[in-house]
Amino acid sequence: MKDIPSSASSPVSHSIVFHGKTREFFKIWIVNIVLTILTLGIYSAWGKVRSKKYLYGNTELLDSRFDYHGDPIKILKGRLLVGALFIGYTLGGKISPAVAAVFFAILLGLTPWIIVRALAFNLSNSSYRNIRFGFKIDYRGSYVTYIKSLFITLISVGLGTPYAAYLHSCFRLNRIRFGREYFQFHADSERFFSVFIKALLFYAFGIAIFVAVILLKAKAIVAIGFVTLYLGMIAAGAWIHAGVANLNANGSGLKDVRFHSTLSGWTFVQIYLTNFLACVFTLGLAIPWAIVRTLRYRIENTKVILSDGAFDALAADSITADDSTKADAIVDFWDMDLGI
Amino acid sequence: MNQLGASRFKGVLFDGRFAKARPAYLILSGSTLSFELIDSPPAESAFYTAYPLREVRLSEKVENVPRVIETSDGLRFETTDPLLESALTSRAQPVLTHHWSPFRRIENSWRLAIGSAIAMTAFIVYSYLVLIPRYSVELASRVPQKVRRLLSASAHTLMKLDERDPAAVLSETAKSRFEDALNDLRINVRVIEFNRLPNAFMLPDGSAYISVRLLEMAQSSDEILAVLLHEQGHHVLDHVIQNLIESSSISALIILITGGTEWTNVPLLLLSSNYSRLHESQADDYAVLKLKEKGKDPRVLANILERMAGGLPPEVDSFDVLSSHPSFKERIARIRAVQAN
């Protein structure tokens, strides 16, 4: 590798390379599962760190690897909290609808907060070139985005869902930073609509088969109708996932760095459906294979466009941050991984 | 690879201030290490000298991920040189590293990993076939009456059960058949409207519910008795609470393995329906046994089931794999086979 001084040379597209291998990841994964079962779930926090260290450490851009620094204890704290709410909701529902309603309200009310905390935890524990990523703690923005998108979805009877997805992308991507430099996200909301409309066709296909089977009263194939309905949902989800990932990456910039994502909806649908079938028929043993191949496809279809040395001038946040200790103590208490 | 002697390792240095990658050597000497930048003026390297080994940290080994040395002042040195670890740990004052060696051994050995995979599969199959049904029986027997009443009250509200006075809604014949059947039962039975559908079920506190339509469909008091003995079977064998415990256990198992909740629905439905189908067969067997004990003809259960099946739209009886009940056809055939023995 050469040490290249910053210069205003023309931008070049660089591939991100994924070195992960199913056989390596399988061994990490199986250890995690066995220990997770033996410890009734406690080890899963350590397992998550180990898996992420493997997956991040095998992701390479410009000869440097990514890294994950999550503290398992904090992940465990978050899981216990969210787990308690979830169990409260599930069991509460069996005992009394009122208890379930209370837990549901708590979960619903906390979701925007949980989203912020989870993003902040995961990003600030991810690094590239010894510089941490970060997420701006903006609860107000999160609640506004959440309520707005809920309102739009409800009032449009679901037709506004793509716009809600667009709002979420705007909220998240504009608050992510690398070091002290924030990402910037610009995209046309119409393009979100075109992704969702195509995905709707998969739903429609599944529903059409299901309805046909019911109308024909074809007893033997009702089960097939159900399976088609479910597979249609998975396919639609995959199509949306690929489309939104493309829009998110292609609309994002980090100072002079641009991104280009070329995921194919069809390939993603194929990957999701085969992943699902393989995982079900192997009682879950194919999960590590599914994770590695999905990640490989995603990573290897994302390009980073930058001119020589564009990264070199990006600075860590710590250089300017004057941390107020009081705010830190509050942040520290809630510094946990709230994503399950 | 390290071709420069045992104490020089090539890698990349990041200073933690800027995202600039600096090719560098890590140089080990005595109980300290330093970094020498490649392609940079020597004066710059002077900043990165003499770190005591006890103050630096070596990342744990994760397959082929490059190893990382971190210093207390925030430097990060990445290298793929496989000899670094042994060089560092063989020193008098080894660097800090975090190892959970017993578990790493499994990761490094295919034999142990495959052994774990087989053990895990065996555990899932064993849990499903033996462990979960067995402990759900055990646990269910410990659920206090208070919880059962609470669960039943909530089910009552959720299902919007519209209870009826049998005297007011049943024809004279149906009423007297119903009263006859009640004399032979140990459970508390209530009559509901249930949208004019033929149905009967049990709540965890031991109250059975039977619909007006089903009572009217019965052609003898023995048929009503047969249906209610089936429900009594669910109560005596404590199936309702067991079902709850079984389906919760399966979701917990799926969450443990897949690490998420989004996967649970379909496998949960497929797997737990098998348990409740087993419960239905057990309750049928119970009813057949009790009918025989009372000197009645067990075929009455098959007869009323046949009539119920006839009164339902055909698609209700067709979800063989997904249904919580075995199909009527299956149950009727089974009851007839059981009573013949």
Side-chain angles (χ1 to χ4, degrees), chain A residues 40-121:
Chain A
L40 294 175
I42 305 291
Y43 183 79
S44 70
W46 280 262
K48 178 176 181 174
V49 172
R50 187 110 184 122
S51 298
K52 283 207 155 189
K53 274 213 169 269
Y54 177 80
L55 298 171
Y56 281 41
N58 276 306
T59 307
E60 181 182 324
L61 168 65
L62 294 168
D63 298 328
S64 302
R65 307 290 180 103
F66 288 76
D67 201 353
Y68 181 74
H69 311 270
D71 174 0
I73 297 286
K74 289 175 179 168
I75 295 174
L76 186 63
K77 253 167 66 179
R79 287 189 169 184
L80 290 176
L81 184 79
V82 176
L85 280 173
F86 189 70
I87 290 171
Y89 170 63
T90 321
L91 290 186
K94 304 241 152 107
I95 291 170
S96 143
V99 174
V102 168
F103 273 103
F104 185 70
I106 294 176
L107 268 176
L108 200 70
L110 284 181
T111 302
W113 179 83
I114 289 176
I115 290 171
V116 170
R117 294 267 32 129
L119 283 167
F121 183 86

Side-chain angles (χ1 to χ4, degrees), chain A residues 207-224:
Chain A
I207 292 169
I209 299 270
F210 182 68
V211 170
V213 164
I214 293 289
L215 288 180
L216 289 170
K217 300 198 171 161
K219 278 191 181 186
I221 55 168
V222 170
I224 298 174

Side-chain angles (χ1 to χ4, degrees), chain B residues 138-205:
Chain B
E138 179 64 30
L139 264 181
S141 68
R142 289 166 196 231
V143 172
Q145 201 54 39
K146 204 174 158 189
V147 175
R148 290 165 187 272
R149 274 198 296 271
L150 212 59
L151 287 171
S152 303
S154 99
H156 198 286
T157 327
L158 282 176
M159 292 169 78
K160 298 198 178 92
L161 297 181
D162 35 7
E163 280 184 44
R164 295 280 187 266
D165 174 12
V169 288
L170 294 178
S171 65
E172 278 308 311
T173 355
K175 203 174 78 188
S176 74
R177 282 174 184 159
F178 179 48
E179 278 160 8
D180 279 352
L182 286 183
N183 292 332
D184 277 318
L185 288 165
R186 307 205 311 242
I187 44 170
N188 169 22
V189 184
R190 298 170 195 190
V191 175
I192 47 169
E193 183 58 45
F194 212 74
N195 297 327
R196 299 291 302 154
L197 287 170
N199 200 5
F201 54 87
M202 193 78 216
L203 289 186
D205 62 350

Side-chain angles (χ1 to χ4, degrees), chain A residues 1-6 21-37 40-41 43-44 46 49-50 53-55 57-58 62-67 69 79 86 91 93-97 127-132 178 180 214 217-220 222-223 226 230 275-276 279-280 282-285 287 311-319 340, chain B residues 10 12 14-23 38-40 59-66 68 70 74-76 78 80 98 100 103-104 106-110 112-114 116-121 123-125 147 150-155 157-158 244 247-248 253 255-263 265-267 270 314-315 317-322 329:
Chain A
M1 194 168 26
K2 282 182 181 162
D3 198 5
I4 305 152
S6 269
K21 291 182 182 70
T22 299
R23 59 192 156 80
E24 288 176 353
F25 189 57
F26 177 80
K27 293 195 278 183
I28 291 175
W29 179 84
I30 194 77
V31 170
N32 289 348
I33 297 298
V34 170
L35 293 175
T36 298
I37 291 174
L40 294 175
Y43 183 79
S44 70
W46 280 262
V49 172
R50 187 110 184 122
K53 274 213 169 269
Y54 177 80
L55 298 171
N58 276 306
L62 294 168
D63 298 328
S64 302
R65 307 290 180 103
F66 288 76
D67 201 353
H69 311 270
R79 287 189 169 184
F86 189 70
L91 290 186
K94 304 241 152 107
I95 291 170
S96 143
S127 74
Y128 174 67
R129 295 185 165 209
N130 206 10
I131 303 287
R132 298 282 181 118
F178 175 69
R180 57 176 160 178
I214 293 289
K217 300 198 171 161
K219 278 191 181 186
V222 170
F226 262 115
Y230 195 71
N275 280 354
F276 174 76
C279 291
V280 167
T282 59
L283 288 179
L285 285 175
I287 291 175
F311 264 118
D312 296 2
L314 294 176
D317 189 43
S318 56
I319 290 180
I340 282 272
Chain B
K10 197 174 178 186
V12 189
F14 302 97
D15 65 10
R17 299 168 70 241
F18 292 95
K20 186 179 167 80
R22 297 159 186 267
I38 305 169
D39 303 332
S40 289
S59 67
E60 68 178 322
K61 181 168 168 51
V62 186
E63 294 291 335
N64 292 322
V65 171
V68 174
E70 284 172 317
L75 295 183
R76 176 188 169 96
E78 288 179 11
T80 47
H98 24 122
W100 279 43
F103 308 136
R104 300 303 158 250
I106 311 179
E107 276 175 19
N108 290 330
S109 151
W110 264 112
L112 287 173
I114 290 172
S116 306
I118 294 170
M120 187 195 87
T121 315
F123 172 76
I124 295 171
V125 174
V147 175
L150 212 59
L151 287 171
S152 303
S154 99
T157 327
L158 282 176
L244 262 179
S247 56
S248 313
L253 197 62
I255 291 173
L256 279 183
I257 292 165
T258 62
T261 49
E262 69 267 33
W263 283 83
N265 296 338
V266 166
L270 287 171
E315 59 271 21
D317 199 23
S318 49
F319 310 130
D320 276 2
V321 193
L322 299 168
K329 228 160 104 189

Side-chain angles (χ1 to χ4, degrees), chain A residues 33-300:
Chain A
I33 297 298
V34 170
L35 293 175
T36 298
I37 291 174
L38 288 178
T39 58
L40 294 175
I42 305 291
Y43 183 79
S44 70
W46 280 262
K48 178 176 181 174
V49 172
R50 187 110 184 122
S51 298
K52 283 207 155 189
K53 274 213 169 269
Y54 177 80
L55 298 171
Y56 281 41
N58 276 306
T59 307
E60 181 182 324
L61 168 65
L62 294 168
D63 298 328
S64 302
R65 307 290 180 103
F66 288 76
D67 201 353
Y68 181 74
H69 311 270
D71 174 0
I73 297 286
K74 289 175 179 168
I75 295 174
L76 186 63
K77 253 167 66 179
R79 287 189 169 184
L80 290 176
L81 184 79
V82 176
L85 280 173
F86 189 70
I87 290 171
Y89 170 63
T90 321
L91 290 186
K94 304 241 152 107
I95 291 170
S96 143
V99 174
V102 168
F103 273 103
F104 185 70
I106 294 176
L107 268 176
L108 200 70
L110 284 181
T111 302
W113 179 83
I114 289 176
I115 290 171
V116 170
R117 294 267 32 129
L119 283 167
F121 183 86
N122 279 310
L123 284 158
S124 64
N125 281 305
S126 304
S127 74
Y128 174 67
R129 295 185 165 209
N130 206 10
I131 303 287
R132 298 282 181 118
F133 288 82
F135 187 78
K136 188 183 162 89
I137 302 284
D138 178 5
Y139 297 126
R140 196 174 163 269
S142 184
Y143 275 92
V144 168
T145 309
Y146 192 71
I147 292 167
K148 241 195 217 170
S149 49
L150 204 66
F151 182 73
I152 289 168
T153 311
L154 287 179
I155 209 153
S156 65
V157 225
L159 293 175
T161 309
Y163 195 77
Y166 164 75
L167 288 179
H168 281 292
S169 288
C170 289
F171 171 72
R172 287 171 196 207
L173 290 160
N174 283 318
R175 281 161 187 79
I176 297 176
R177 57 184 167 74
F178 175 69
R180 57 176 160 178
E181 195 68 46
Y182 277 92
F183 281 75
Q184 265 135 25
F185 177 70
H186 300 286
D188 284 334
S189 55
E190 293 100 74
R191 304 191 66 179
F192 281 76
F193 278 91
S194 83
V195 167
F196 277 75
I197 287 166
K198 283 173 193 154
L200 214 57
L201 297 176
F202 288 103
Y203 274 119
F205 179 71
I207 292 169
I209 299 270
F210 182 68
V211 170
V213 164
I214 293 289
L215 288 180
L216 289 170
K217 300 198 171 161
K219 278 191 181 186
I221 55 168
V222 170
I224 298 174
F226 262 115
V227 171
T228 321
L229 187 68
Y230 195 71
L231 294 181
M233 276 162 60
I234 294 180
W239 186 275
I240 291 171
H241 201 148
V244 170
N246 283 341
L247 291 173
N248 282 349
N250 298 340
S252 292
L254 175 70
K255 214 173 177 185
D256 301 326
V257 183
R258 296 286 170 273
F259 303 88
H260 187 48
S261 171
T262 50
L263 299 176
S264 142
W266 282 111
T267 312
F268 228 57
V269 168
Q270 281 169 33
I271 289 177
Y272 266 48
L273 290 179
T274 44
N275 280 354
F276 174 76
L277 295 174
C279 291
V280 167
F281 286 110
T282 59
L283 288 179
L285 285 175
I287 291 175
W289 169 78
I291 292 176
V292 166
R293 74 193 281 248
T294 313
L295 208 55
R296 166 165 298 122
Y297 180 72
R298 286 198 63 169
I299 287 173
E300 297 192 341

